Amino acid sequence: MRQQKRFWNPLLLASMLLLLAGCWAPQVHRPTSAAGAMCAEQCDQQRYSCNNTAQASAQASQGSCQARQDHVEQRCSPWVKDSDKQRCQIVNNPGGGTCIDPSPDYSGCTSTWRSCIVSCGGYFE
């Protein structure tokens, strides 16, 4: 008799489940007392403010990069030959000529918010 191979190896299945577990956000259990709820509301407001600051910082970084790139382009535009223009751009913008849209870093905001919620009597699961 010939044995059939199982498609799902138990070890493979367990590994996949562990990987997927990292994709789920932890569930927030907010404080149940009135004082805890007010405290958690302040945590939410601080997180909102922190996220807005992170967003503004990313946008300012993008604007600064674009302004620098525009300045280099204006400064190097008189050069006719491409090789001269490239040399001018390298000298005036050693970091490169491409601006990449920066993503806001919310990790610090989230970490602080989680600690705040816990200090108010909530927990994460």
Side-chain angles (χ1 to χ4, degrees):
M1 254 200 222
R2 193 172 159 183
Q3 285 186 332
Q4 284 187 330
K5 287 188 177 180
R6 281 195 259 169
F7 183 72
W8 291 105
N9 177 331
L11 187 58
L12 176 66
L13 184 59
S15 298
M16 287 175 59
L17 288 175
L18 282 175
L19 286 174
L20 288 174
C23 297
W24 293 316
Q27 185 175 1
V28 180
H29 294 275
R30 300 178 74 78
T32 55
S33 70
M38 285 176 54
C39 179
E41 181 63 32
Q42 290 176 342
C43 298
D44 294 340
Q45 290 171 5
Q46 289 171 357
R47 182 182 189 192
Y48 178 77
S49 176
C50 183
N51 285 348
N52 285 341
T53 300
Q55 178 71 34
S57 177
Q59 288 173 341
S61 176
Q62 173 64 20
S64 174
C65 179
Q66 190 62 49
R68 185 174 57 253
Q69 189 176 13
D70 292 346
H71 173 74
V72 169
E73 193 170 312
Q74 181 181 14
R75 186 171 184 150
C76 297
S77 63
W79 297 102
V80 177
K81 288 174 54 179
D82 283 343
S83 60
D84 292 337
K85 197 175 281 194
Q86 285 176 341
R87 200 170 312 125
C88 175
Q89 290 171 343
I90 289 169
V91 167
N92 287 285
N93 191 11
T98 304
C99 292
I100 299 170
D101 282 340
S103 297
D105 182 7
Y106 300 123
S107 62
C109 301
T110 301
S111 175
T112 301
W113 172 76
R114 288 174 62 101
S115 297
C116 187
I117 292 291
V118 170
S119 73
C120 292
Y123 63 98
F124 291 83
E125 196 171 27

